[in-house]
Amino acid sequence: AQSVAQPEDQVNVAEGNPLTVKCTYSVSGNPYLFWYVQYPNRGLQFLLKYITGDNLVKGSYGFEAEFNKSQTSFHLKKPSALVSDSALYFCAVRISDSWGKFQFGAGTQVVVTP
Amino acid sequence: SAVISQKPSRDICQRGTSLTIQCQVDSQVTMMFWYRQQPGQSLTLIATANQGSEATYESGFVIDKFPISRPNLTFSTLTVSNMSPEDSSIYLCSVERPRGNTEAFFGQGTRLTVV
């Protein structure tokens, strides 16, 4: 069974500092990994994905993620966090041959303080 | 990107009643998906809705409780039946990106409170 784990319920970071949100995965076959962000009272917004190719994936709003096969990780990173990055972040893995079916991680609340 | 419109955005309902949530997409899509996000929890897939066939439900979800319609390629409804306070959640619909691309789009969600 496909699954992802987000070990941190919350990450606190000062504005301007690097931000990392951790995700590890367990899949059979090729891992198709995604990051989504959820702002209060809004739906999920796609940030980035790893399907194949370069291990470093660049996405929206200055975010990037590094796929590490040996460590089965897909950590989300941003070099310099903004207060507006405060939101709930979900790591997800595709769980079938459909691009719309995901197993989501528990989510990590990111709090960026001025 | 696909534009997904969900209605209502929020509702407060009495226990024992039913609520139907609508999801409208601005382009034709093969598959639509319904997720539930319980308070403070992650998203859980309820079912997959294909046009012209019965929805496929995930473990723990049944058609009697969550009947789904998919009358055409741009529209779906999810009904939460005989509601109890445990059904208080955010319900989201999502679609595959058209033309077989690899990320899904999500609606804004429906925040349901059952009292």
Side-chain angles (χ1 to χ4, degrees):
Chain A
Q2 324 285 52
S3 66
V4 292
Q6 294 179 244
E8 301 157 316
D9 291 337
Q10 182 166 314
V11 169
N12 298 300
V13 63
E15 187 174 32
N17 282 358
L19 169 64
T20 298
V21 186
K22 296 180 179 177
C23 173
T24 58
Y25 65 88
S26 174
V27 303
S28 55
N30 294 322
Y32 300 123
L33 299 162
F34 300 77
W35 276 101
Y36 283 85
V37 60
Q38 185 178 38
Y39 297 98
N41 300 315
R42 295 172 66 175
L44 268 66
Q45 296 180 28
F46 169 76
L47 281 179
L48 51 78
K49 64 187 177 187
Y50 173 82
I51 305 299
T52 186
D54 290 342
N55 290 341
L56 184 62
V57 178
K58 293 188 182 296
S60 306
Y61 313 120
F63 283 93
E64 59 187 29
E66 185 169 10
F67 172 70
N68 188 316
K69 188 173 182 178
S70 62
Q71 297 185 6
T72 62
S73 66
F74 189 57
H75 301 332
L76 181 70
K77 299 181 180 182
K78 187 171 184 179
S80 178
L82 301 172
V83 172
S84 57
D85 293 327
S86 298
L88 186 57
Y89 291 79
F90 290 101
C91 183
V93 62
R94 194 185 79 160
I95 58 174
S96 76
D97 57 357
S98 163
W99 289 111
K101 295 181 71 171
F102 299 102
Q103 178 71 47
F104 282 88
T108 298
Q109 184 69 48
V110 170
V111 178
V112 183
T113 53
Chain B
S1 61
V3 175
I4 305 171
S5 177
Q6 258 187 259
K7 293 180 180 179
S9 59
R10 59 178 62 228
D11 207 342
I12 301 174
C13 300
Q14 296 291 323
R15 67 177 68 200
T17 62
S18 298
L19 176 71
T20 295
I21 302 168
Q22 300 179 1
C23 182
Q24 178 76 52
V25 191
D26 68 345
S27 58
Q28 293 183 340
V29 293
T30 304
M31 291 187 178
M32 297 177 74
F33 306 88
W34 288 97
Y35 286 84
R36 180 176 72 180
Q37 186 179 18
Q38 294 177 298
Q41 302 292 318
S42 184
L43 285 81
T44 302
L45 181 64
I46 298 172
T48 302
N50 288 333
Q51 192 264 339
S53 63
E54 278 198 4
T56 303
Y57 290 83
E58 299 299 312
S59 175
F61 297 96
V62 295
I63 188 171
D64 289 347
K65 178 66 176 177
F66 297 101
I68 288 171
S69 77
R70 182 80 200 275
N72 57 53
L73 292 174
T74 64
F75 187 78
S76 178
T77 67
L78 169 76
T79 298
V80 186
S81 302
N82 188 24
M83 289 183 285
S84 67
E86 291 71 34
D87 295 318
S88 297
S89 297
I90 299 173
Y91 293 86
L92 300 102
C93 73
S94 75
V95 302
E96 291 180 307
R97 187 173 175 180
R99 291 181 293 281
N101 288 303
T102 55
E103 61 262 25
F105 291 96
F106 285 80
Q108 301 281 65
T110 295
R111 183 180 294 273
L112 170 63
T113 302
V114 184
V115 297

